Amino acid sequence: MKLAVGDVVVYGTHGVGRVIARKSVALAGEAQDVVVIELEDELTVTLTLDRAKDQLRSLATKADLALISSKLGEDLELSGDPWLTRKRDTVAKLTAGNPVALAEIIRDGARRERELKARKKPAQLSPGEKELYLKAWHLLSGEIARVRDLGPAEVDAWIDEQLGRATTAPASS
């Protein structure tokens, strides 16, 4: 990745952004090359070039979208691990920002929510699990919107379709 001004990139837990500047600045008395990223939520982040190369990636490709679709539609047995173990694993996936891992979080959250409703248990995920599920949905839908040039409602409908359910996207409550 060149990280040229104008390049569209993905920054892990922050989502899609665009390189708006590349310059040299003095850090700790040394000249450092930095890139400035403007994220879609109007947050601006400045990263050293080395850190940017480690933490930024290109947008998902069409091949990635096929894999994302496949992951969302998988019908796997849900993990029976305790919540703290699942939380640690989910946070690691979120932090990495890999779109396929985000799809796994969404798939598992949607399935867990459906199973809770079917068992007549509280019909929603715990607040912590819901927060991680919504964050993954937000990050993945933002990237898919950019890759496929779709609006938010269209992306939510696409994700729902891949999940194989007729309900709408999660409420952000």
Side-chain angles (χ1 to χ4, degrees):
M1 181 180 337
K2 292 192 280 184
L3 297 173
V5 172
D7 284 355
V8 176
V9 295
V10 179
Y11 183 25
T13 59
H14 297 288
V16 177
R18 185 175 52 84
V19 177
I20 60 170
R22 192 166 165 168
K23 56 190 174 185
S24 188
V25 297
L27 293 173
E30 248 181 70
Q32 293 269 336
D33 289 332
V34 298
V35 292
V36 181
I37 311 300
E38 183 178 65
L39 299 163
E40 294 198 339
D41 58 4
E42 298 183 25
L43 174 68
T44 301
V45 178
T46 302
L47 301 169
T48 63
L49 194 54
D50 290 338
R51 190 163 187 182
K53 287 180 179 179
D54 284 343
Q55 296 192 357
L56 301 176
R57 65 172 175 79
S58 300
L59 278 174
T61 64
K62 298 234 185 246
D64 293 331
L65 286 180
L67 193 52
I68 289 165
S69 174
S70 174
K71 283 292 174 193
L72 288 170
E74 281 180 339
D75 190 20
L76 300 175
E77 184 78 24
L78 284 173
S79 168
D81 290 340
W83 163 236
L84 289 178
T85 302
R86 291 194 330 266
K87 179 181 178 184
R88 183 189 66 235
D89 295 344
T90 302
V91 168
K93 287 179 181 181
L94 263 175
T95 303
N98 177 304
V100 176
L102 295 175
E104 292 172 356
I105 295 168
I106 294 166
R107 175 201 64 209
D108 294 348
R111 179 131 184 238
R112 196 170 298 282
E113 200 166 53
R114 281 193 311 265
E115 287 187 6
L116 286 171
K117 287 178 184 177
R119 286 190 262 154
K120 309 253 190 292
K121 298 237 175 177
Q124 62 185 15
L125 300 172
S126 70
E129 199 161 12
K130 181 85 169 190
E131 180 183 348
L132 295 173
Y133 170 59
L134 290 173
K135 178 74 173 176
W137 188 293
H138 173 75
L139 292 171
L140 186 62
S141 67
E143 186 167 356
I144 292 170
R146 199 66 180 266
V147 171
R148 298 189 67 206
D149 195 27
L150 298 172
E154 295 167 307
V155 172
D156 288 344
W158 183 85
I159 292 172
D160 279 337
E161 183 181 316
Q162 307 319 299
L163 289 168
R165 61 187 177 128
T167 59
T168 59
S172 51
S173 54

